[in-house]
C-alpha cells in the first residue's frame, strides 16, 4: 500500500552536511495527503523525533536539531528531504522516514505513523 525508501546517508566528519531523501510510492500514498516525518535511532537508544512536515509544508523540528536541520518536501516528486548541516557526532544514528494517514498534534510520537522506511545510516566522526 505504501512504500518509503530513504537514501543519502553516509559517513561525514563533524561540521559537515548530508541531505537525506525519502521517496514514497503505492496506491495509499498517492491517494492521501499524508504527513511525513523523520526519526532517528542511535545504538542502544530509543527512536527519537527529528522533524515532521504536513502536506502543505508546515514543519516542526526537534530542539536538538533546530538551526541545523531543515525538512522539506516536493509533492510532485513524492519526496521528502532532510537537509542536515553542522553535523555532530551525537547525530550518528539510523534515520527513518515515516508517513501517517491522519493528522494530529502528536507529530513527534512514532506510534502516530502508519508506514516506515528501512532506514539509512548516518555516521558523524570527530
Amino acid at each position: 500500500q505504501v512504500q518509503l525508501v530513504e537514501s543519502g546517508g553516509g559517513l561525514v566528519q563533524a561540521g559537515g552536511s548530508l541531505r537525506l531523501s525519502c521517496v514514497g510510492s503505492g496506491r495509499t500514498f498517492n491517494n492521501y495527503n499524508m504527513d511525513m516525518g523523520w526519526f532517528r535511532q542511535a545504538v542502544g537508544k530509543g527512536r527519537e523525533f527529528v522533524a515532521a512536515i504536513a502536506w502543505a509544508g508546515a514543519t516542526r523540528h526537534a530542539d536538538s536539531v533546530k538551526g541545523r536541520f531543515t525538512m522539506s518536501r516536493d509533492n510532485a516528486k513524492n519526496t521528502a528531504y532532510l537537509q542536515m548541516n553542522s553535523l555532530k557526532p551525537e547525530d550518528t544514528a539510523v534515520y527513518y522516514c515515516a508517513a501517517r494517514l491522519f493528522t494530529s498534534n502528536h507529530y513527534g510520537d512514532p506510534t502516530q505513523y502508519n508506514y516506515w522506511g528501512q532506514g539509512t545510516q548516518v555516521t558523524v566522526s570527530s
Side-chain angles (χ1 to χ4, degrees), residues 48-90:
E48 176 189 13
F49 169 72
V50 176
I53 189 166
W55 177 257
T59 59
R60 303 287 189 184
H61 295 81
D63 289 341
S64 60
V65 306
K66 284 181 179 177
R68 300 189 299 120
F69 293 8
T70 302
M71 188 174 183
S72 62
R73 68 190 297 168
D74 185 339
N75 291 336
K77 297 180 179 179
N78 298 322
T79 303
Y81 303 95
L82 185 68
Q83 178 66 47
M84 304 186 294
N85 299 324
S86 302
L87 282 160
K88 304 175 180 179
E90 50 263 45

Side-chain angles (χ1 to χ4, degrees), residues 8-9 11 17 19 27 34 50-51 72 90 97 111 113 117:
L11 175 64
S17 298
R19 175 176 284 188
R27 184 183 65 83
M34 305 184 80
V50 176
S72 62
E90 50 263 45
C97 178
T111 67
Y113 291 80

Side-chain angles (χ1 to χ4, degrees), residues 3-36:
Q3 183 177 8
L4 303 174
V5 180
E6 304 99 331
S7 63
L11 175 64
V12 64
Q13 294 185 20
S17 298
L18 287 172
R19 175 176 284 188
L20 306 184
S21 298
C22 173
V23 179
S25 62
R27 184 183 65 83
T28 300
F29 186 88
N30 291 332
N31 289 344
Y32 291 90
N33 298 334
M34 305 184 80
D35 293 346
M36 301 187 71

